[in-house]
Amino acid sequence: GAGVSQSPSNKVTEKGKDVELRCDPISGHTALYWYRQSLGQGLEFLIYFQGNSAPDKSGLPSDRFSAERTGGSVSTLTIQRTQQEDSAVYLCASSLVGQPQHFGDGTRLSIL
Amino acid sequence: QQQVKQSPQSLIVQKGGISIINCAYENTAFDYFPWYQQFPGKGPALLIAIRPDVSEKKEGRFTISFNKSAKQFSLHIMDSQPGDSATYFCAANKGAQKLVFGQGTRLTINP
């Protein structure tokens, strides 16, 4: 498809486990963003990748969160030792530089 | 400095009426102000956006009004329809930087 693709769409895991969330951006989009959407917190920025530049990690809530972008395309967000407060919808967006951000449908993460 | 404040949190409008959602920002460096529409289980979808060099932008039934001196912008939905029932987010950023979102408005259009 032509849009941002995220997988899995839903993930249920036990507290303390590690999870990996995947984002396939729109082809040709050099900018990629991760956001988190949780009840009462709205949409929060996590991390931003632009080309080969160092990522902007200023929104990552703790060192349990990390992300990488391989080959300037696919990105993986990893959460280690998950906690219940990590339960949220994780959204990925991509764009051409300076152009509107287009979002995927997110991964709904539930920590038991 | 980075906040975008959105109101109301929820809004009920009769079919055919005008829906109005307001946002205020603090950072005068922001130069792009989009509105996103989100349906349950879906990601936010760009609805309409404005830059601060214009005071109004209209696309179909959707209009953004922008007041640079007051640091406020609003979304107007004319002739509101039941299919417009969704959550709406205003946002702001500068250049290619992260979007700063408002808290969202849950809009319900009664038939």
Side-chain angles (χ1 to χ4, degrees):
Chain A
V4 176
S5 178
Q6 292 188 245
S7 61
S9 54
N10 288 281
K11 177 72 176 180
V12 181
T13 192
E14 293 179 347
K15 176 183 173 181
K17 300 288 189 182
D18 297 352
V19 295
E20 286 189 350
L21 312 179
R22 177 186 169 103
C23 173
D24 284 272
I26 293 172
S27 178
H29 281 191
T30 56
L32 187 148
Y33 309 78
W34 284 97
Y35 295 86
R36 179 170 68 176
Q37 185 173 26
S38 50
L39 285 174
Q41 296 295 323
L43 281 145
E44 302 172 283
F45 166 77
L46 296 176
I47 188 168
Y48 160 49
F49 295 91
Q50 171 52 47
N52 295 321
S53 301
D56 175 359
K57 302 179 181 180
S58 61
L60 294 178
S62 77
D63 59 8
R64 296 186 296 105
F65 288 72
S66 63
E68 62 177 20
R69 188 179 186 190
T70 54
S73 181
V74 172
S75 177
T76 302
L77 177 69
T78 301
I79 309 173
Q80 295 179 310
R81 306 180 302 280
T82 52
Q83 304 295 313
Q84 288 190 332
E85 60 263 28
D86 299 335
S87 295
V89 177
Y90 290 82
L91 292 160
C92 176
S94 71
S95 74
L96 295 170
V97 176
Q99 295 300 308
Q101 296 179 27
H102 297 272
F103 285 80
D105 287 336
T107 294
R108 183 176 300 274
L109 177 64
S110 299
I111 310 299
L112 301 178
Chain B
Q1 187 75 5
Q2 287 293 317
Q3 279 188 320
V4 175
K5 296 182 179 179
Q6 183 172 345
S7 63
Q9 285 188 316
S10 62
L11 180 63
I12 300 174
V13 175
Q14 292 300 117
K15 178 182 175 181
I18 302 173
S19 304
I20 302 174
I21 305 171
N22 300 298
C23 284
Y25 63 98
E26 300 172 353
N27 188 345
T28 56
F30 287 149
D31 61 5
Y32 178 68
F33 302 88
W35 285 89
Y36 283 84
Q37 179 189 57
Q38 186 177 32
F39 293 104
K42 297 294 186 180
L46 179 66
L47 190 61
I48 187 172
I50 198 168
R51 296 195 183 273
D53 53 343
V54 297
S55 60
E56 185 174 284
K57 183 175 181 180
K58 183 176 181 179
E59 291 184 0
R61 296 185 294 111
F62 301 92
T63 300
I64 299 180
S65 297
F66 187 83
N67 186 330
K68 188 174 181 178
S69 61
K71 293 186 286 186
Q72 294 176 347
F73 58 111
S74 60
L75 175 70
H76 295 231
I77 306 174
M78 311 300 287
D79 186 27
S80 299
Q81 299 297 312
D84 297 330
S85 296
T87 300
Y88 292 81
F89 293 93
C90 62
N93 74 348
K94 175 177 172 59
Q97 295 177 6
K98 64 184 181 184
L99 285 167
V100 179
F101 285 88
Q103 288 297 96
T105 296
R106 180 170 292 184
L107 175 64
T108 302
I109 307 301
N110 284 335

